[in-house]
Structures are given as C-alpha cells and as structure tokens.
Amino acid sequence: MANHKSALKRIRANEAKRLRNRFYLKTTRTFEKKLRKTTNKTEATELLSKVTSMLDKLAKKNIIHKNKASNHKSKLAKYVNSLA
C-alpha cells in the first residue's frame, strides 16, 4: 500500500485515466466495426473521417502507437475506396 498522500493521489488519478483511455479505445473500435459493416459509399466516407480523427487522437495521447493508427487508417481507407 502507498505510504504518501501524493502516491495515493497518483493511484486515484491513474485509475481514472485508465478508465477514460479504455472508453476512448472501445468507442473507436465500435466505430471501426460500424464502418466495416457499411456498404453505402457516402455514409462510409463520412464515417471514415470521424474514425480517422479518433485514431489520430488516440495516437496523439499514446493510447495506441502511431504506426498502429496509420495501419488502421490505411486499411479502412482501402475498404472505403473499394466500395462501389
């Protein structure tokens, strides 16, 4: 157990950040799945810009690695471009 007040505060802050990061990551994954199920090109294009922004924010906050974000964006863009 922590011995200092500052250590106790750190534990509380880290837990709050962990939950917030989990929420952001889960929300982004949900939108990615929604984009993959979309067959309408215009709807997919709108979703792609939203998901791209979400992935960039995750990478900026170091929740995911920047290369992972780039890989996801690339694959999603290829999928949207393949829609007729």
Coordinates of all heavy atoms in Angstrom, one line a residue:
M1 N 0.8 -1.2 0.0 CA 0.0 0.0 0.0 C 0.9 1.2 0.0 O 2.0 1.2 0.5 CB -0.9 0.0 1.3 CG -1.9 1.0 1.3 SD -3.1 0.9 -0.1 CE -3.8 2.5 0.0
A2 N 0.4 2.3 -0.6 CA 1.2 3.6 -0.7 C 1.3 4.2 0.7 O 0.4 4.1 1.5 CB 0.4 4.5 -1.6
N3 N 2.4 4.9 0.9 CA 2.7 5.5 2.2 C 2.6 7.0 2.2 O 2.5 7.6 3.2 CB 4.2 5.2 2.6 CG 4.3 3.7 2.9 OD1 3.4 3.1 3.5 ND2 5.5 3.1 2.5
H4 N 2.5 7.6 1.0 CA 2.5 9.1 0.9 C 1.1 9.5 0.3 O 0.5 8.8 -0.5 CB 3.6 9.6 0.1 CG 5.0 9.3 0.6 ND1 5.5 10.0 1.7 CD2 5.9 8.4 0.2 CE1 6.7 9.5 2.0 NE2 6.9 8.5 1.1
K5 N 0.7 10.7 0.7 CA -0.5 11.3 0.2 C -0.4 11.4 -1.3 O -1.4 11.1 -2.1 CB -0.8 12.7 0.8 CG -1.6 12.6 2.1 CD -2.0 14.1 2.4 CE -3.1 14.0 3.4 NZ -3.6 15.4 3.8
S6 N 0.7 11.8 -1.8 CA 0.9 12.1 -3.3 C 0.8 10.7 -4.0 O 0.2 10.7 -5.1 CB 2.2 12.7 -3.6 OG 3.3 11.9 -3.1
A7 N 1.3 9.7 -3.4 CA 1.2 8.3 -4.0 C -0.3 7.9 -4.1 O -0.7 7.3 -5.1 CB 2.0 7.3 -3.3
L8 N -1.0 8.1 -3.1 CA -2.4 7.8 -3.1 C -3.2 8.5 -4.1 O -4.0 8.0 -4.9 CB -3.1 8.1 -1.7 CG -2.6 7.2 -0.5 CD1 -3.1 7.7 0.8 CD2 -3.0 5.8 -0.8
K9 N -2.9 9.8 -4.3 CA -3.5 10.6 -5.3 C -3.1 10.1 -6.7 O -4.0 10.1 -7.6 CB -3.0 12.1 -5.2 CG -3.7 13.0 -6.2 CD -3.3 14.5 -5.9 CE -4.0 15.4 -7.0 NZ -3.6 16.8 -6.8
R10 N -1.9 9.7 -6.9 CA -1.4 9.2 -8.2 C -2.2 7.9 -8.5 O -2.6 7.7 -9.7 CB 0.1 8.7 -8.1 CG 1.1 9.6 -8.6 CD 1.1 9.8 -10.1 NE 1.0 11.1 -10.6 CZ 0.0 11.6 -11.2 NH1 -1.1 11.0 -11.4 NH2 0.0 12.8 -11.8
I11 N -2.4 7.1 -7.5 CA -3.2 5.8 -7.8 C -4.6 6.2 -8.2 O -5.1 5.6 -9.2 CB -3.2 5.0 -6.5 CG1 -1.8 4.4 -6.2 CG2 -4.3 3.9 -6.6 CD1 -1.7 3.8 -4.8
R12 N -5.2 7.1 -7.6 CA -6.6 7.5 -8.0 C -6.6 8.1 -9.4 O -7.4 7.8 -10.2 CB -7.1 8.6 -7.0 CG -7.5 8.0 -5.6 CD -8.4 9.0 -4.9 NE -7.9 10.3 -4.8 CZ -7.1 10.8 -3.9 NH1 -6.7 10.0 -2.9 NH2 -6.7 12.1 -3.9
A13 N -5.6 9.0 -9.7 CA -5.6 9.6 -11.0 C -5.3 8.6 -12.1 O -5.9 8.7 -13.2 CB -4.5 10.7 -11.0
N14 N -4.4 7.7 -11.8 CA -4.1 6.7 -12.8 C -5.3 5.8 -13.1 O -5.5 5.4 -14.3 CB -2.9 5.8 -12.3 CG -1.6 6.5 -12.4 OD1 -1.4 7.5 -13.1 ND2 -0.6 6.0 -11.6
E15 N -6.0 5.5 -12.1 CA -7.2 4.6 -12.3 C -8.3 5.4 -13.2 O -8.9 4.8 -14.1 CB -7.9 4.3 -11.0 CG -9.1 3.4 -11.1 CD -8.9 2.1 -11.7 OE1 -7.8 1.6 -11.9 OE2 -10.0 1.5 -12.1
A16 N -8.4 6.7 -12.9 CA -9.4 7.5 -13.7 C -8.9 7.6 -15.2 O -9.7 7.4 -16.1 CB -9.5 8.9 -13.1
K17 N -7.6 7.8 -15.4 CA -7.1 7.9 -16.7 C -7.2 6.5 -17.4 O -7.5 6.5 -18.6 CB -5.6 8.3 -16.7 CG -5.4 9.7 -16.3 CD -4.0 10.1 -16.3 CE -3.8 11.5 -15.8 NZ -2.4 11.9 -15.6
R18 N -7.0 5.4 -16.7 CA -7.1 4.1 -17.3 C -8.5 3.9 -17.8 O -8.7 3.4 -19.0 CB -6.7 3.0 -16.3 CG -6.7 1.6 -16.9 CD -6.3 0.6 -15.8 NE -7.5 0.4 -14.9 CZ -8.5 -0.4 -15.1 NH1 -8.5 -1.1 -16.2 NH2 -9.5 -0.5 -14.3
L19 N -9.5 4.2 -17.0 CA -10.9 4.0 -17.4 C -11.2 4.9 -18.6 O -11.9 4.5 -19.5 CB -11.8 4.3 -16.3 CG -11.7 3.3 -15.1 CD1 -12.6 3.8 -13.9 CD2 -12.1 1.9 -15.6
R20 N -10.8 6.1 -18.6 CA -11.0 7.1 -19.7 C -10.4 6.5 -21.0 O -11.0 6.5 -22.0 CB -10.5 8.4 -19.4 CG -11.0 9.5 -20.3 CD -10.5 10.9 -19.9 NE -10.7 11.2 -18.5 CZ -9.7 11.5 -17.6 NH1 -8.4 11.6 -18.0 NH2 -9.9 11.7 -16.4
N21 N -9.2 6.1 -20.9 CA -8.5 5.5 -22.1 C -9.2 4.3 -22.6 O -9.3 4.1 -23.8 CB -7.0 5.2 -21.8 CG -6.2 6.4 -21.5 OD1 -6.6 7.5 -21.9 ND2 -5.0 6.3 -20.9
R22 N -9.7 3.4 -21.7 CA -10.4 2.3 -22.2 C -11.7 2.7 -22.9 O -12.0 2.1 -23.9 CB -10.8 1.4 -21.0 CG -9.7 0.4 -20.6 CD -10.1 -0.4 -19.4 NE -11.4 -1.1 -19.6 CZ -12.1 -1.7 -18.7 NH1 -11.7 -1.7 -17.4 NH2 -13.2 -2.3 -18.9
F23 N -12.4 3.7 -22.4 CA -13.6 4.2 -23.0 C -13.3 4.7 -24.4 O -14.0 4.3 -25.4 CB -14.2 5.2 -22.2 CG -15.4 5.9 -22.9 CD1 -16.6 5.3 -23.0 CD2 -15.2 7.2 -23.4 CE1 -17.7 5.9 -23.7 CE2 -16.3 7.8 -24.1 CZ -17.5 7.2 -24.2
Y24 N -12.2 5.5 -24.6 CA -11.9 6.1 -25.9 C -11.5 5.0 -26.9 O -12.0 5.0 -28.0 CB -10.7 7.0 -25.8 CG -11.0 8.3 -25.1 CD1 -10.0 9.0 -24.3 CD2 -12.3 8.9 -25.2 CE1 -10.3 10.2 -23.7 CE2 -12.6 10.1 -24.5 CZ -11.6 10.7 -23.8 OH -11.8 11.9 -23.2
L25 N -10.8 4.0 -26.4 CA -10.3 2.9 -27.3 C -11.5 2.1 -27.7 O -11.7 1.7 -28.9 CB -9.3 2.0 -26.6 CG -8.6 0.9 -27.4 CD1 -7.9 1.5 -28.6 CD2 -7.7 0.1 -26.6
K26 N -12.4 1.7 -26.8 CA -13.6 0.9 -27.1 C -14.5 1.6 -28.0 O -15.1 1.0 -29.0 CB -14.3 0.6 -25.8 CG -15.5 -0.3 -25.9 CD -15.1 -1.7 -26.4 CE -16.3 -2.6 -26.5 NZ -16.1 -3.8 -27.2
T27 N -14.7 2.9 -27.8 CA -15.6 3.7 -28.7 C -15.0 3.7 -30.1 O -15.8 3.6 -31.1 CB -15.7 5.2 -28.2 OG1 -16.1 5.1 -26.8 CG2 -16.7 6.0 -29.0
T28 N -13.7 3.9 -30.3 CA -13.1 3.9 -31.6 C -13.3 2.6 -32.3 O -13.6 2.5 -33.5 CB -11.6 4.3 -31.5 OG1 -11.5 5.5 -30.8 CG2 -11.0 4.4 -32.8
R29 N -13.1 1.5 -31.5 CA -13.2 0.1 -32.1 C -14.6 -0.1 -32.6 O -14.9 -0.7 -33.6 CB -12.9 -0.9 -31.1 CG -11.4 -1.2 -31.0 CD -11.1 -2.6 -30.4 NE -11.8 -2.8 -29.2 CZ -11.2 -2.8 -28.0 NH1 -10.0 -2.6 -27.8 NH2 -11.9 -3.1 -26.9
T30 N -15.6 0.4 -31.8 CA -17.0 0.3 -32.2 C -17.3 1.0 -33.5 O -18.0 0.5 -34.4 CB -17.9 0.8 -31.1 OG1 -17.6 0.2 -29.9 CG2 -19.4 0.6 -31.4
F31 N -16.7 2.2 -33.6 CA -16.9 3.0 -34.9 C -16.2 2.3 -36.1 O -16.7 2.3 -37.2 CB -16.4 4.4 -34.7 CG -17.5 5.3 -34.2 CD1 -17.7 5.5 -32.8 CD2 -18.3 6.0 -35.1 CE1 -18.6 6.3 -32.4 CE2 -19.3 6.9 -34.6 CZ -19.5 7.1 -33.2
E32 N -15.1 1.7 -35.8 CA -14.4 0.9 -36.9 C -15.3 -0.2 -37.4 O -15.4 -0.5 -38.6 CB -13.1 0.4 -36.4 CG -11.9 1.4 -36.4 CD -10.6 0.7 -36.0 OE1 -10.2 -0.2 -36.8 OE2 -10.0 1.2 -35.1
K33 N -15.9 -1.0 -36.4 CA -16.7 -2.1 -36.8 C -17.9 -1.6 -37.6 O -18.4 -2.2 -38.6 CB -17.2 -2.8 -35.6 CG -16.1 -3.6 -34.9 CD -16.6 -4.2 -33.6 CE -15.4 -4.9 -32.8 NZ -15.8 -5.3 -31.5
K34 N -18.5 -0.5 -37.1 CA -19.6 0.1 -37.8 C -19.3 0.5 -39.3 O -20.0 0.3 -40.2 CB -20.1 1.4 -37.1 CG -21.4 1.9 -37.6 CD -21.8 3.3 -37.0 CE -22.3 3.1 -35.6 NZ -22.8 4.3 -35.0
L35 N -18.1 1.1 -39.4 CA -17.6 1.4 -40.8 C -17.4 0.2 -41.7 O -17.8 0.2 -42.8 CB -16.3 2.2 -40.6 CG -15.5 2.6 -41.9 CD1 -16.4 3.4 -42.8 CD2 -14.3 3.3 -41.6
R36 N -16.9 -0.9 -41.1 CA -16.6 -2.1 -41.9 C -17.9 -2.7 -42.3 O -18.0 -3.4 -43.4 CB -15.8 -3.1 -41.1 CG -14.4 -2.7 -40.9 CD -13.5 -3.9 -41.1 NE -12.1 -3.6 -41.0 CZ -11.3 -3.3 -42.0 NH1 -11.8 -3.4 -43.2 NH2 -10.1 -3.0 -41.9
K37 N -19.0 -2.5 -41.6 CA -20.3 -3.1 -41.9 C -21.1 -2.3 -42.9 O -22.0 -2.7 -43.5 CB -21.2 -3.3 -40.7 CG -20.7 -4.5 -39.8 CD -21.6 -4.7 -38.7 CE -21.1 -5.9 -37.9 NZ -22.0 -6.2 -36.7
T38 N -20.6 -1.0 -43.1 CA -21.3 -0.1 -44.0 C -21.1 -0.5 -45.5 O -19.9 -0.8 -45.8 CB -20.9 1.3 -43.8 OG1 -21.0 1.6 -42.4 CG2 -21.6 2.3 -44.6
T39 N -22.1 -0.5 -46.3 CA -22.0 -0.8 -47.7 C -22.2 0.5 -48.6 O -22.0 0.5 -49.8 CB -22.9 -1.9 -48.1 OG1 -24.2 -1.5 -47.8 CG2 -22.5 -3.2 -47.5
N40 N -22.7 1.5 -47.9 CA -23.0 2.8 -48.6 C -21.8 3.6 -48.7 O -21.2 4.0 -47.7 CB -24.2 3.5 -47.9 CG -24.6 4.7 -48.6 OD1 -24.1 5.1 -49.7 ND2 -25.6 5.4 -48.1
K41 N -21.4 4.1 -49.9 CA -20.1 4.8 -50.1 C -20.1 6.1 -49.4 O -19.2 6.5 -48.7 CB -19.9 5.0 -51.6 CG -18.7 5.8 -51.9 CD -17.4 5.0 -52.2 CE -16.3 5.8 -52.7 NZ -15.1 5.1 -53.0
T42 N -21.2 6.9 -49.5 CA -21.3 8.2 -48.9 C -21.2 8.2 -47.4 O -20.5 8.9 -46.7 CB -22.5 9.0 -49.4 OG1 -23.7 8.3 -49.1 CG2 -22.4 9.3 -50.8
E43 N -22.0 7.2 -46.8 CA -22.0 7.0 -45.4 C -20.7 6.6 -44.9 O -20.2 7.0 -43.8 CB -23.1 6.0 -45.0 CG -23.4 5.9 -43.6 CD -24.5 4.9 -43.3 OE1 -25.5 4.8 -44.1 OE2 -24.4 4.1 -42.4
A44 N -20.0 5.7 -45.6 CA -18.7 5.2 -45.3 C -17.7 6.3 -45.3 O -16.8 6.4 -44.4 CB -18.3 4.1 -46.2
T45 N -17.8 7.2 -46.2 CA -16.8 8.3 -46.3 C -16.9 9.2 -45.1 O -15.9 9.7 -44.6 CB -17.1 9.1 -47.6 OG1 -17.1 8.2 -48.7 CG2 -16.0 10.2 -47.8
E46 N -18.2 9.5 -44.7 CA -18.4 10.3 -43.5 C -17.8 9.7 -42.3 O -17.2 10.3 -41.5 CB -19.9 10.6 -43.3 CG -20.5 11.5 -44.4 CD -22.0 11.6 -44.2 OE1 -22.5 11.3 -43.2 OE2 -22.6 12.1 -45.2
L47 N -18.1 8.4 -42.2 CA -17.6 7.6 -41.0 C -16.1 7.6 -41.0 O -15.4 7.6 -39.9 CB -18.2 6.2 -41.0 CG -19.4 6.0 -40.2 CD1 -20.0 4.6 -40.4 CD2 -19.2 6.2 -38.7
L48 N -15.5 7.5 -42.2 CA -14.0 7.3 -42.3 C -13.4 8.6 -41.7 O -12.4 8.4 -41.0 CB -13.6 7.1 -43.8 CG -12.1 7.1 -44.0 CD1 -11.5 5.8 -43.3 CD2 -11.7 7.0 -45.4
S49 N -13.9 9.8 -42.0 CA -13.3 11.0 -41.5 C -13.4 11.0 -40.0 O -12.4 11.4 -39.3 CB -13.9 12.2 -42.1 OG -15.2 12.3 -41.8
K50 N -14.5 10.5 -39.5 CA -14.7 10.5 -38.0 C -13.7 9.5 -37.3 O -13.1 9.9 -36.3 CB -16.1 10.1 -37.7 CG -16.6 10.4 -36.3 CD -18.1 10.1 -36.2 CE -18.6 10.9 -35.0 NZ -20.1 10.8 -34.9
V51 N -13.6 8.3 -37.9 CA -12.8 7.3 -37.3 C -11.3 7.7 -37.4 O -10.5 7.5 -36.5 CB -13.0 5.9 -38.0 CG1 -12.0 4.9 -37.6 CG2 -14.4 5.5 -37.7
T52 N -10.9 8.3 -38.6 CA -9.6 8.8 -38.7 C -9.2 9.8 -37.7 O -8.1 9.7 -37.1 CB -9.4 9.4 -40.1 OG1 -9.7 8.5 -41.1 CG2 -8.0 9.9 -40.3
S53 N -10.1 10.7 -37.4 CA -9.9 11.7 -36.3 C -9.7 11.0 -35.0 O -8.8 11.4 -34.2 CB -11.0 12.7 -36.3 OG -10.9 13.5 -35.2
M54 N -10.6 10.0 -34.7 CA -10.5 9.3 -33.4 C -9.1 8.6 -33.3 O -8.5 8.6 -32.2 CB -11.6 8.3 -33.3 CG -13.0 9.0 -33.2 SD -14.3 7.8 -33.4 CE -14.8 7.6 -31.7
L55 N -8.7 7.9 -34.3 CA -7.4 7.2 -34.3 C -6.3 8.2 -34.1 O -5.3 7.8 -33.4 CB -7.3 6.4 -35.6 CG -8.1 5.2 -35.7 CD1 -8.1 4.6 -37.1 CD2 -7.7 4.1 -34.7
D56 N -6.3 9.3 -34.8 CA -5.2 10.3 -34.6 C -5.2 10.8 -33.1 O -4.1 11.0 -32.6 CB -5.5 11.5 -35.5 CG -5.1 11.1 -37.0 OD1 -4.3 10.2 -37.2 OD2 -5.6 11.8 -37.9
K57 N -6.3 11.0 -32.5 CA -6.4 11.4 -31.1 C -5.8 10.4 -30.2 O -5.1 10.7 -29.3 CB -7.8 11.8 -30.7 CG -8.2 13.1 -31.3 CD -9.7 13.4 -30.9 CE -10.2 14.6 -31.6 NZ -11.6 14.8 -31.5
L58 N -6.1 9.1 -30.5 CA -5.6 8.0 -29.7 C -4.1 7.9 -29.8 O -3.4 7.7 -28.8 CB -6.2 6.7 -30.1 CG -7.7 6.4 -29.7 CD1 -8.1 5.1 -30.3 CD2 -7.9 6.5 -28.3
A59 N -3.6 8.1 -31.0 CA -2.1 8.1 -31.2 C -1.4 9.3 -30.5 O -0.4 9.1 -29.9 CB -1.8 8.0 -32.7
K60 N -2.1 10.4 -30.6 CA -1.5 11.6 -30.0 C -1.4 11.5 -28.5 O -0.4 12.0 -27.9 CB -2.4 12.8 -30.4 CG -1.8 14.1 -29.9 CD -2.7 15.3 -30.3 CE -2.2 16.6 -29.8 NZ -3.1 17.7 -30.2
K61 N -2.4 10.8 -27.9 CA -2.4 10.6 -26.4 C -1.6 9.4 -26.0 O -1.7 9.0 -24.8 CB -3.8 10.6 -25.9 CG -4.6 11.8 -26.1 CD -6.0 11.7 -25.6 CE -6.8 12.9 -25.9 NZ -8.2 12.8 -25.5
N62 N -1.0 8.7 -26.9 CA -0.2 7.5 -26.7 C -1.0 6.4 -26.1 O -0.6 5.5 -25.3 CB 1.0 7.8 -25.7 CG 2.1 8.6 -26.4 OD1 2.3 8.4 -27.6 ND2 2.7 9.5 -25.7
I63 N -2.3 6.3 -26.5 CA -3.2 5.2 -26.1 C -2.9 4.0 -27.0 O -2.8 2.9 -26.6 CB -4.6 5.6 -26.1 CG1 -4.9 6.7 -25.1 CG2 -5.5 4.4 -25.8 CD1 -6.3 7.3 -25.1
I64 N -2.6 4.3 -28.3 CA -2.1 3.3 -29.2 C -0.9 3.9 -29.9 O -0.7 5.1 -29.9 CB -3.2 2.9 -30.3 CG1 -3.6 4.1 -31.1 CG2 -4.4 2.2 -29.6 CD1 -4.5 3.8 -32.3
H65 N -0.1 3.1 -30.5 CA 1.1 3.5 -31.2 C 0.7 4.2 -32.5 O -0.3 3.9 -33.2 CB 2.0 2.3 -31.5 CG 3.4 2.7 -31.9 ND1 3.7 2.9 -33.2 CD2 4.5 2.8 -31.1 CE1 5.0 3.2 -33.2 NE2 5.5 3.2 -32.0
K66 N 1.5 5.2 -32.9 CA 1.2 5.9 -34.1 C 1.2 5.1 -35.4 O 0.3 5.3 -36.3 CB 2.1 7.1 -34.3 CG 3.6 6.7 -34.5 CD 4.5 7.9 -34.7 CE 5.9 7.4 -34.9 NZ 6.7 8.3 -35.6
N67 N 2.0 4.1 -35.4 CA 2.0 3.2 -36.6 C 0.8 2.3 -36.7 O 0.3 2.0 -37.7 CB 3.3 2.3 -36.6 CG 4.5 3.1 -36.8 OD1 4.5 4.3 -37.2 ND2 5.7 2.4 -36.7
K68 N 0.3 1.9 -35.5 CA -1.0 1.1 -35.5 C -2.1 2.0 -36.0 O -3.0 1.5 -36.7 CB -1.2 0.6 -34.0 CG -2.5 -0.2 -33.9 CD -2.7 -0.7 -32.5 CE -4.0 -1.6 -32.5 NZ -4.1 -2.3 -31.3
A69 N -2.1 3.2 -35.6 CA -3.2 4.1 -36.0 C -3.1 4.3 -37.6 O -4.1 4.2 -38.3 CB -3.1 5.5 -35.4
S70 N -1.9 4.4 -38.1 CA -1.7 4.6 -39.5 C -2.1 3.3 -40.3 O -2.8 3.4 -41.3 CB -0.2 4.8 -39.8 OG 0.1 6.1 -39.3
N71 N -1.8 2.2 -39.7 CA -2.2 0.9 -40.3 C -3.8 0.8 -40.4 O -4.3 0.4 -41.4 CB -1.7 -0.3 -39.6 CG -0.2 -0.5 -39.8 OD1 0.3 0.0 -40.9 ND2 0.5 -1.1 -38.9
H72 N -4.4 1.1 -39.3 CA -5.9 1.1 -39.3 C -6.5 2.0 -40.3 O -7.4 1.7 -41.0 CB -6.4 1.4 -37.9 CG -6.3 0.2 -36.9 ND1 -7.4 -0.5 -36.5 CD2 -5.2 -0.4 -36.4 CE1 -7.0 -1.4 -35.7 NE2 -5.7 -1.4 -35.6
K73 N -6.0 3.3 -40.3 CA -6.5 4.3 -41.2 C -6.3 3.8 -42.7 O -7.2 4.0 -43.5 CB -5.8 5.6 -41.0 CG -6.2 6.3 -39.7 CD -5.7 7.7 -39.6 CE -4.2 7.8 -39.8 NZ -3.7 9.2 -39.5
S74 N -5.2 3.2 -43.0 CA -4.9 2.8 -44.3 C -5.8 1.7 -44.8 O -6.4 1.7 -45.9 CB -3.4 2.3 -44.4 OG -3.2 1.7 -45.6
K75 N -6.0 0.7 -43.9 CA -6.9 -0.4 -44.2 C -8.4 0.0 -44.4 O -9.1 -0.4 -45.3 CB -6.8 -1.5 -43.2 CG -5.5 -2.3 -43.3 CD -5.3 -3.3 -42.2 CE -4.0 -4.0 -42.4 NZ -3.5 -4.6 -41.2
L76 N -8.8 1.0 -43.5 CA -10.2 1.5 -43.6 C -10.3 2.3 -44.9 O -11.4 2.2 -45.5 CB -10.5 2.3 -42.4 CG -10.6 1.5 -41.1 CD1 -10.8 2.4 -39.9 CD2 -11.8 0.5 -41.2
A77 N -9.3 3.1 -45.3 CA -9.4 3.9 -46.5 C -9.5 3.0 -47.7 O -10.2 3.2 -48.6 CB -8.2 4.8 -46.6
K78 N -8.7 1.9 -47.7 CA -8.8 0.9 -48.8 C -10.1 0.3 -48.9 O -10.7 0.1 -50.0 CB -7.7 -0.2 -48.6 CG -6.3 0.2 -49.0 CD -5.3 -0.9 -48.7 CE -5.4 -2.0 -49.6 NZ -4.3 -3.0 -49.4
Y79 N -10.7 0.0 -47.8 CA -12.1 -0.6 -47.8 C -13.1 0.4 -48.4 O -13.9 0.1 -49.2 CB -12.5 -1.0 -46.4 CG -14.0 -1.4 -46.3 CD1 -14.4 -2.6 -46.8 CD2 -14.9 -0.5 -45.7 CE1 -15.7 -2.9 -46.7 CE2 -16.2 -0.9 -45.6 CZ -16.6 -2.1 -46.2 OH -18.0 -2.4 -46.1
V80 N -13.0 1.7 -47.9 CA -14.0 2.7 -48.4 C -13.8 2.9 -49.9 O -14.8 3.0 -50.6 CB -13.8 4.0 -47.6 CG1 -14.6 5.1 -48.2 CG2 -14.2 3.8 -46.2
N81 N -12.6 2.9 -50.3 CA -12.3 3.1 -51.8 C -12.8 1.9 -52.6 O -13.1 2.1 -53.8 CB -10.8 3.4 -52.0 CG -10.4 4.8 -51.5 OD1 -11.2 5.7 -51.4 ND2 -9.2 4.9 -51.2
S82 N -12.8 0.8 -52.0 CA -13.3 -0.4 -52.8 C -14.8 -0.5 -52.9 O -15.3 -1.2 -53.7 CB -12.8 -1.7 -52.1 OG -13.5 -1.9 -50.9
L83 N -15.5 0.3 -52.1 CA -17.0 0.3 -52.3 C -17.4 0.9 -53.6 O -16.8 1.9 -54.1 CB -17.6 1.1 -51.1 CG -17.5 0.5 -49.7 CD1 -18.0 1.5 -48.7 CD2 -18.2 -0.8 -49.6
A84 N -18.5 0.4 -54.2 CA -18.9 0.9 -55.5 C -20.0 2.0 -55.3 O -20.6 2.1 -54.3 CB -19.5 -0.2 -56.3

